[in-house]
Amino acid sequence: TFYTQDNTAGACGNTNPDSALIAAVADWTQSDCGKTIRITNTATGATVDVTVEDSCPSCEAGHIDLSTGAFDKLGSEDAGVLNGE
């Protein structure tokens, strides 16, 4: 899934534009801040490298929520949810 930044700082304390290639993770800890994750859309093979900048407390374990900038590199926002690895 994807989310917008709304000009607020994420769990790591940084404010990023929607175009930033960042992620919020379900199982977030402070030590995750700044880690890079490569995500591949399993349907198309498109990939994007994102930096962990936020937590996603409402997400199920293992779920990654992407900024719109990152999500758009993998597929259409109309899909709402993409399967990745």
Side-chain angles (χ1 to χ4, degrees), residues 3-18 22-24 28 30 33 52-57:
Y3 69 108
T4 58
Q5 304 308 300
D6 297 325
N7 293 316
T8 58
C12 295
N14 301 315
T15 302
N16 294 285
D18 288 331
I22 61 173
W28 179 88
Q30 188 68 35
C33 291
V52 176
E53 286 288 334
D54 207 353
S55 65
C56 186

Side-chain angles (χ1 to χ4, degrees), residues 60-75:
E60 295 180 20
H63 184 92
I64 299 173
D65 211 9
L66 301 173
S67 63
T68 54
F71 193 93
D72 292 346
K73 295 209 178 275
L74 296 175

